[in-house]
Each structure stands twice: as C-alpha cells, then as structure tokens.
C-alpha cells in the first residue's frame, strides 16, 4: 500500500490499509487512520493525528510548523477527523503555544486546491473551502459553512454555521459578499438542502430582518432574538454566535 518511492518515518504510525503515493514524505509523530489515501508528492509532518477515510491529494502540506514569528519550535499539534478531502496544494499548519496548541479539523470537510488553514484554527464538519480560500490564525468555522473562492477570514474571527461567504466572515445562516463583507440575505438554498423546513427558514428570515433591517441597535436586536429563540430552536445559533463574538459581527 506504500509506494517504494515514498519516504515514511519509522516513527510514523499508519494503519495497515493506508495508501501512500510516490514521492510523498511522512515525518515522525504522525498517526494516520485506516482507509486513508495519500497521493503523490504530499508532505505530512508531526505531531499530527489523522482519522479514517481521508483523501490527501498531491502537493498538499499538512502538519508543518505554524507561520508565526512567535513560534519557537514547540511540539504543537494538528488533529484531523474522518472523511475529509484535501485537494492539490492545500496547506494546514499546527497550533501554537499562544492558544491551545492545536489546530482542529472535524469530519466530512472539503478543502479545495490552494486553500489554507493557519495555526490554531478550529473547523467543524461538512465545511467547504473553495479554491484559494484562506484562514488566518485562531479562526473558528461552524458546521456546513461554505467559503467561496479567494475568500479570506481575518485572524481571531468566527464564521457561523450554514453561512456562505465570499469575503470576510458572517453569522450563522447568512450569505455575505463584498469587500469588506456585508450581509445580503439568508442562505436559504443551503438550508433547504440540509433539511430545514419552510417554517424554520421563514423564522430565520425574520431573525435576519430583525438583526439587519430593523434599525435596532445590536443589544436590542439580541434581546428580541433571545425571546424568539425560546420557541424557535433554529434561532438559537444566532443568539449564541452574537454572545460569543469578541470582535462584533458583520452588520
């Protein structure tokens, strides 16, 4: 399963059925779970933990040192879940000691060619990062978020679940585009595809209008959203996102 032209450290731990293509380099302190396929010319350095059923295409670089001037070679970590796809030339860096020391990627994510995940980022599940999408350090991405091609997310920014962005970041469910990013609508098509009912989408639209079109100050809009969230659970992510925000929101 391992091509004779690949270079795999004796200190790496690969499940018996892991496939490794020619000229790929896997360093020490790398653990790779079963069913994972790694193409040619990839580089995986450790400490890195990779789950099961992942696909890593040519020239991807996973688990290398963070691109941070404060990093002094500490043994930080990259943890990757299951069934993720890393396309050509994707780069994912380990964490730093200035955060929790780990970069986390969940399950079932698609990182398209040339996308980049910087140190200490936390990605949930079912995320799509299109070509050249880039995350600064310490970014959090919620489940089912879609980042369009060439989009960039500034360090320490949070991107909400189910949102669709073209530039910068957005709360849950919101479609945001522009430079700088501005909210335009609810990501209704994405919500339909993920099984949200018409009533839930209508409630989210109402919450969106309250937050972005009512003219209310953020504090007052949040109070109204909290009331709605008592009976409409789909509104809860809006409320939690705003409360957790450390740098306010795109508004």
């Amino acid at each position: 399963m391992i091509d004779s032209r690949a270079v795999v450290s004796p200190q790496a731990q690969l499940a018996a059925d892991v496939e490794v293509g020619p000229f790929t380099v896997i360093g020490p302190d790398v653990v790779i779970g079963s069913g994972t396929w790694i193409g040619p010319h990839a580089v995986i350095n450790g400490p890195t933990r990779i789950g099961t059923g992942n696909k890593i295409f040519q020239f991807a670089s996973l688990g290398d040192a963070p691109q941070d001037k404060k990093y002094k070679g500490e043994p930080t970590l990259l943890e990757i879940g299951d069934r993720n796809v890393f396309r050509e030339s994707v780069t994912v860096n380990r964490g730093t000691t200035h955060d929790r020391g780990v970069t986390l990627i969940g399950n079932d994510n698609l990182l398209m060619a040339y996308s980049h995940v910087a140190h200490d980022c936390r990605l949930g599940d079912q995320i799509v990062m299109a070509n050249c999408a880039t995350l600064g350090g310490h970014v959090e991405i919620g489940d089912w978020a879609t980042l369009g091609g060439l989009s960039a997310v500034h360090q320490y920014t949070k991107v909400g679940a189910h949102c669709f962005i073209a530039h910068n970041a957005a709360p849950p469910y919101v479609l945001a585009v522009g430079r700088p990013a501005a909210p335009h609508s609810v990501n209704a098509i994405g919500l339909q595809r993920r099984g949200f009912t018409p009533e839930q989408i209508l409630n989210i639209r109402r919450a969106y209008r309250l937050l972005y079109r009512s003219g209310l100050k953020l504090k007052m809009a949040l109070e109204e959203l909290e009331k709605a969230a008592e009976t409409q659970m789909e509104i809860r992510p809006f409320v939690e996102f705003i409360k957790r925000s450390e740098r306010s929101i795109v508004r």
Side-chain angles (χ1 to χ4, degrees):
M1 292 298 209
I2 299 177
D3 191 281
S4 60
R5 293 162 292 181
V7 178
V8 179
S9 169
Q11 284 76 47
Q13 300 177 44
L14 278 62
D17 62 348
V18 171
E19 297 184 47
V20 182
F23 310 111
T24 278
V25 177
I26 299 176
D29 206 3
V30 172
V31 178
I32 302 176
S34 64
T36 295
W37 174 88
I38 305 168
H41 295 282
V43 177
I44 304 174
N45 282 320
T48 292
R49 307 290 179 263
I50 299 175
T52 63
N54 293 282
K55 291 186 177 181
I56 302 166
F57 283 73
Q58 56 266 30
F59 304 108
S61 175
L62 307 181
D64 225 316
Q67 300 174 73
D68 185 332
K69 286 186 175 181
K70 300 184 292 296
Y71 179 72
K72 304 300 181 184
E74 301 91 348
T76 55
L77 182 63
L78 167 63
E79 290 189 0
I80 296 171
D82 304 327
R83 301 175 303 280
N84 298 286
V85 177
F86 301 89
R87 292 305 303 251
E88 299 83 352
S89 300
V90 166
T91 52
V92 183
N93 295 151
R94 301 194 313 272
T96 66
T97 57
H98 307 291
D99 201 322
R100 300 178 184 178
V102 58
T103 300
L104 292 173
I105 295 180
N107 305 314
D108 302 296
N109 299 297
L110 170 59
L111 280 67
M112 295 186 190
Y114 296 96
S115 56
H116 173 66
V117 178
H119 57 86
D120 302 292
C121 287
R122 291 173 173 266
L123 277 65
D125 304 331
Q126 300 285 353
I127 293 163
V128 175
M129 293 180 61
N131 301 67
C132 298
T134 298
L135 307 182
H138 315 275
V139 166
E140 295 183 22
I141 309 290
D143 298 344
W144 293 99
T146 299
L147 281 66
L150 298 171
S151 60
V153 181
H154 194 272
Q155 62 181 358
Y156 291 102
T157 300
K158 296 180 177 64
V159 177
H162 300 282
C163 76
F164 188 109
I165 68 172
H167 292 286
N168 294 322
Y173 310 130
V174 171
L175 191 155
V177 297
R179 182 177 294 179
H184 282 258
S185 62
V186 168
N187 185 20
I189 299 299
L191 296 177
Q192 290 172 7
R193 290 172 177 169
R194 289 156 205 157
F196 283 72
T197 67
E199 181 180 2
Q200 288 175 317
I201 294 174
L202 179 60
N203 291 337
I204 291 169
R205 287 187 186 276
R206 289 170 176 161
Y208 174 87
R209 288 195 292 268
L210 178 67
L211 185 60
Y212 290 106
R213 302 289 183 257
S214 67
L216 292 175
K217 292 183 180 295
L218 182 58
K219 180 179 179 181
M220 296 178 64
L222 178 59
E223 291 174 355
E224 294 298 320
L225 288 173
E226 286 186 302
K227 293 177 184 177
E230 292 176 1
T231 57
Q232 302 168 15
M233 293 305 297
E234 60 273 15
I235 307 304
R236 178 54 52 183
F238 259 137
V239 174
E240 293 177 351
F241 186 93
I242 295 169
K243 284 185 171 181
R244 290 195 310 119
S245 174
E246 300 172 357
R247 307 178 69 188
S248 194
I249 62 172
V250 171
R251 196 166 186 249

